[in-house]
């Protein structure tokens, strides 16, 4: 026998409607208060940092005029012409730049590989579901925080003092920063695994390394590889900046061209870097999608 729903009286219905409107009004007030606080903090940050909005607006056109200058030859018989009218003159140093670009890619690759290895070896000790020792777990997490908090260029400057100019400081700087960034991501992946296989391994008397090898790695390897590929894309761009402080790569020629106002060279170097990063992004994106689809496939 079907039960009939209780009928709402007009007073009860009005009370429910009023409660609903009050809840919606309170939610809107909270949202508006949050937006006002964020805007207020933005203005306060700008005031403390002495950001001059009038100066920003007045000189905003210079940003676009610089791009106009780097797309125009500034000397020689082709002065005043657009750079694409004479590709040979525009890319006069292509052979040298390609070698430096290859150095940049290798710096990013080697730094990514070393950082990923360090993150892989330490991430299991930072996972709360695998490492019962809170002191060791906290220590590894603080190490990861330190490595990813210090900018790569600061690490590069420190290593330049120790090892001198060249690609070694760039590789080490990228490796340390990558270890911190990937270590956090790897540890979070490990903390989200299915613990049934881990519990089964522990119940059979498996050691920590055996548990990681047979119960954890099969669940996380594809994610580890995906994050590493993503980090490689970031590190190739970062390796281009390493040259600004003398840590090798094409960045050294780029900062020299900027300082000496070689506008056509600046645009040529930027175009090479953009094309290289784009090709790497497209390639690693396809690899990441292939890994993800393989993991999701039953």
């Amino acid at each position: 026998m079907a039960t009939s729903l209780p009928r709402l009286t007009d007073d009860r219905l009005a009370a429910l409607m009023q409660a609903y409107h009050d809840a919606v009004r309170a939610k809107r007030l909270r949202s508006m208060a949050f937006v006002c606080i964020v805007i207020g903090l933005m203005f306060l940050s700008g005031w403390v940092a002495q950001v001059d909005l009038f100066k920003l607006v007045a000189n905003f056109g210079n940003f676009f005029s610089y791009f106009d200058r780097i797309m125009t030859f500034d000397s020689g018989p082709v002065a005043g012409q657009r750079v694409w009218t004479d590709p040979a003159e525009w890319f006069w140093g292509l052979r040298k730049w390609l070698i430096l670009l290859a150095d940049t890619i290798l710096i990013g690759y080697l730094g990514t590989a070393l950082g990923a290895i360090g993150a892989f070896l330490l991430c299991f000790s930072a996972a709360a579901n695998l490492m019962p020792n809170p002191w060791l777990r906290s220590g590894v997490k603080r190490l990861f925080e330190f490595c990813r908090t210090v900018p790569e260029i600061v690490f590069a400057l420190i290593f330049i003092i120790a090892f001198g100019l060249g690609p070694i400081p760039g590789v080490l700087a990228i490796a340390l920063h990558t270890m911190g960034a990937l270590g956090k991501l790897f540890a979070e992946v490990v903390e989200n695994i299915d613990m049934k296989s881990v519990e089964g391994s522990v119940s059979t008397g498996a050691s920590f390394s055996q548990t990681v090898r047979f119960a954890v790695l099969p669940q996380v390897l594809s994610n580890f590889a995906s994050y590493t590929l993503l980090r490689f894309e970031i590190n190739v761009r970062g390796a281009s900046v390493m040259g600004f402080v003398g840590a090798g790569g094409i960045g050294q020629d780029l900062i020299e061209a900027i300082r000496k106002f070689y506008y056509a060279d600046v645009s040529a170097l930027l175009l090479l870097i953009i094309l290289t990063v784009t090709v790497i992004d497209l390639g690693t994106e396809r690899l990441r999608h292939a890994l993800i689809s393989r993991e999701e496939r039953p």
Side-chain angles (χ1 to χ4, degrees), residues 114-248:
L114 294 176
I117 292 172
F120 177 83
L121 294 176
L122 295 176
C123 70
F124 305 104
S125 299
N129 56 344
L130 293 183
M131 177 50 62
N133 189 329
W135 294 101
L136 178 59
R137 185 172 67 247
S138 178
V140 175
K141 286 185 176 181
R142 300 295 82 78
L143 175 63
F144 286 157
E145 289 174 0
F146 169 77
C147 290
R148 70 174 179 270
T149 300
V150 179
E152 298 166 331
I153 200 164
V154 174
F155 277 135
L157 289 170
I158 295 173
F159 287 128
I160 283 174
I161 296 174
F163 300 101
L165 300 175
I168 293 180
V171 170
L172 295 177
I174 291 176
L176 274 181
H177 197 273
T178 298
M179 186 179 73
L182 287 182
K184 175 180 172 59
L185 296 174
F186 286 0
E188 290 179 349
V189 171
V190 173
E191 288 178 343
N192 287 286
I193 63 172
D194 184 2
M195 291 298 293
K196 293 180 181 178
S197 57
V198 175
E199 293 168 356
S201 298
V202 173
S203 65
T204 61
S207 63
F208 181 80
S209 60
Q210 291 172 333
T211 301
V212 170
R213 167 65 182 84
F214 296 103
V216 179
L217 282 184
Q219 301 185 59
V220 300
L221 272 181
S222 59
N223 281 325
F224 281 10
S226 178
Y227 281 132
T228 302
L229 290 172
L230 177 62
R231 193 67 204 180
F232 175 58
E233 302 173 16
I234 299 172
N235 287 342
V236 171
R237 291 190 288 268
S240 302
V241 181
M242 291 295 102
F244 285 17
V245 294

Side-chain angles (χ1 to χ4, degrees), residues 73 147 167 180 183 221 275 279 297:
F73 289 116
C147 290
L221 272 181
L275 289 176
V279 171
R297 189 181 305 159

